[in-house]
Amino acid sequence: MKKLVVVVVVLAAILLLAPLGVAKRAETRMNRGLDKMVEQFGYLVVADRKWTGGWFKSRQEVTFEVSPAFADVMSPDKLEAIFKEDAATADPAEAEDTGSDDSEHQIAGEEEPDAADESAEAAEDRPPASPLRFKVINDVVHGPVLGFSGLGVARVDTTLDLSEEVHARIREVFGPKRALEIRTRVGFLGGGTTTFTSEGRTIKVEGEDEEISYETLKVAVGYGRNADSYDIDGKLPKFQVKSDNGKQVLVTGVTMDGDGERVKGDLYDGDFEFRIEEIKFEEPSGNSGFSVEDVHYLLDSETKDNFVTMAAKMGTGSFKNAAVSSTGLDIKEIHYDFSLRRLHAGSLEKMFRGMRGAYAGTGDAETTEEGGAG
């Protein structure tokens, strides 16, 4: 009896004291994970982070900032200039008309102000824009016992720090339950799994004659130590939009499945499948309604002898429409397949790394052979 009491006391002490040691490990692992994420997604930087520790629970507050290089590329002024340039290229007549107007001004002795100079001057006079920031809050339950989530270093529930006004608006549309739940289980061996869940519901669009409903959406993303491997598993069984006038859009059987392993740096071998069982549009007259089955996008990448082969398949199964059927045409499948062979693995990885560095504004972002910090 005494031995049993001793065992119970020891186990109780372990369960009570273990979270204190695991909490420190959880903080280290989560900070390392943040640094790794920022390294992989170069358009984000961590502007501030704060850890408030507790016995069984802690809270981490992280403020992200869009990298200056990415924000500059996506600035309204530059996007507007790109759109104008594209429009001028697409419509040469418009460009010719502009040249004619310039000639008339020159004949009249008037000087047409240079729009580019005006834009540059306006940009110089404008005060620098504040960096785009948002805050993420992670509520952390320390392991080793994580309730129904099993065993691990930590279980993390993630939310965005939004104003009460925004929260109220979201609750008004989606109801009292969270529109999106994000939960992460941090494993003992360096990996983890993040699960995104939106519980099924019906939404009535305010001021519209439409109703949106969907069954529970769930996407789980697993990753190994140092993100050397990954797997994706997601599904949305049904999504539907119904109007009072009889129109309906129905999407069923949305799935995604993939996995991969790091070859070198930012280069992974793996495969990915995205499928939709059926898309159907119905309307009262039946003339413009259609259905299409097995919409899919498949991607496969394999490295052998330092050369990469990439293959992609995009397409559908049968396509049905009253107007098409009236012509006697029976579309059983549509597909577009392409592949790239014997791509040099080192050069391809360097290109991926350079693209990431460009987003971060650091040029060619250097990484180790294992793909970055451990």
Side-chain angles (χ1 to χ4, degrees):
M1 183 67 181
K2 290 182 179 179
K3 291 183 178 179
L4 179 61
V5 172
V6 171
V7 170
V8 170
V9 171
V10 171
L11 288 175
I14 291 174
L15 290 175
L16 288 172
L17 296 176
L20 285 175
V22 176
K24 187 61 181 177
R25 186 177 180 186
E27 180 183 4
T28 301
R29 288 279 302 280
M30 290 180 67
N31 281 328
R32 184 184 299 168
L34 277 173
D35 295 336
K36 188 68 180 177
M37 184 187 71
V38 169
E39 178 189 331
Q40 293 296 322
F41 301 99
Y43 47 83
L44 286 179
V45 295
V46 175
D48 186 41
R49 70 181 88 189
K50 178 183 178 183
W51 181 275
T52 304
W55 194 302
F56 293 101
K57 295 182 179 180
S58 297
R59 169 168 284 200
Q60 182 186 51
E61 299 180 11
V62 184
T63 301
F64 290 98
E65 185 176 295
V66 177
S67 70
F70 185 77
D72 181 59
V73 170
M74 299 301 293
S75 67
D77 290 340
K78 290 201 172 181
L79 289 177
E80 183 181 1
I82 292 172
F83 291 145
K84 285 183 176 179
E85 182 178 348
D86 289 344
T89 304
D91 189 359
E94 183 178 339
E96 291 177 3
D97 291 342
T98 303
S100 176
D101 290 341
D102 290 343
S103 299
E104 292 178 2
H105 282 291
Q106 290 173 2
I107 293 172
E110 300 176 6
E111 293 186 0
E112 181 70 14
D114 192 325
D117 292 342
E118 285 187 348
S119 179
E121 291 176 3
E124 290 178 359
D125 295 337
R126 189 183 306 125
S130 300
L132 179 60
R133 291 186 172 191
F134 61 94
K135 181 185 288 188
V136 170
I137 297 175
N138 293 318
D139 290 309
V140 185
V141 175
H142 312 149
V145 180
L146 304 174
F148 292 111
S149 300
L151 302 176
V153 173
R155 187 189 72 213
V156 185
D157 290 314
T158 300
T159 56
L160 281 174
D161 184 24
L162 303 174
S163 67
E164 183 54 40
E165 180 181 355
V166 174
H167 276 299
R169 180 57 181 165
I170 293 174
R171 286 193 295 267
E172 182 181 335
V173 175
F174 288 91
K177 294 183 179 180
R178 285 186 183 178
L180 179 65
E181 296 181 357
I182 305 174
R183 172 165 288 186
T184 301
R185 183 184 66 82
V186 182
F188 285 113
L189 301 179
T193 302
T194 299
T195 304
F196 303 84
T197 306
S198 182
E199 189 172 325
R201 67 198 75 197
T202 298
I203 302 170
K204 184 67 177 179
V205 181
E206 184 179 354
E208 301 289 341
D209 61 350
E210 292 182 341
E211 182 180 88
I212 301 172
S213 62
Y214 61 91
E215 296 182 7
T216 298
L217 164 70
K218 188 172 184 179
V219 179
V221 181
Y223 35 89
R225 184 178 180 85
N226 297 326
D228 287 335
S229 63
Y230 69 87
D231 61 85
I232 302 171
D233 182 19
K235 62 179 180 180
L236 173 61
K238 181 180 177 181
F239 176 85
Q240 186 175 33
V241 180
K242 296 174 66 176
S243 300
D244 293 344
N245 60 11
K247 291 183 178 181
Q248 173 182 258
V249 176
L250 180 64
V251 180
T252 58
V254 180
T255 60
M256 60 180 72
D257 180 38
D259 58 74
E261 294 186 358
R262 189 192 303 277
V263 176
K264 177 182 181 181
D266 291 343
L267 182 63
Y268 288 79
D269 271 0
D271 57 79
F272 177 77
E273 292 189 4
F274 175 81
R275 292 184 179 273
I276 302 176
E277 185 179 278
E278 184 178 26
I279 301 175
K280 183 183 291 184
F281 172 67
E282 298 177 347
E283 49 90 24
S285 70
N287 294 326
S288 59
F290 69 88
S291 68
V292 57
E293 298 179 350
D294 190 26
V295 179
H296 58 268
Y297 170 70
L298 315 177
L299 182 65
D300 181 75
S301 176
E302 181 182 10
T303 303
K304 186 176 181 180
D305 298 329
N306 207 32
F307 287 97
V308 181
T309 297
M310 291 184 175
K313 297 182 179 181
M314 296 171 281
T316 73
S318 66
F319 176 85
K320 297 179 181 179
N321 171 264
V324 173
S325 298
S326 66
T327 66
L329 182 62
D330 184 15
I331 301 177
K332 294 184 178 181
E333 67 173 12
I334 302 170
H335 65 89
Y336 175 69
D337 306 342
F338 72 90
S339 62
L340 301 172
R341 302 178 184 276
R342 293 191 62 79
L343 301 172
H344 185 251
S347 300
L348 190 61
E349 190 279 331
K350 186 175 181 180
M351 182 183 73
F352 290 158
R353 183 162 25 103
M355 292 170 62
R356 173 163 54 84
Y359 282 132
T362 59
D364 188 25
E366 294 295 336
T367 60
T368 66
E369 287 293 310
E370 291 74 25

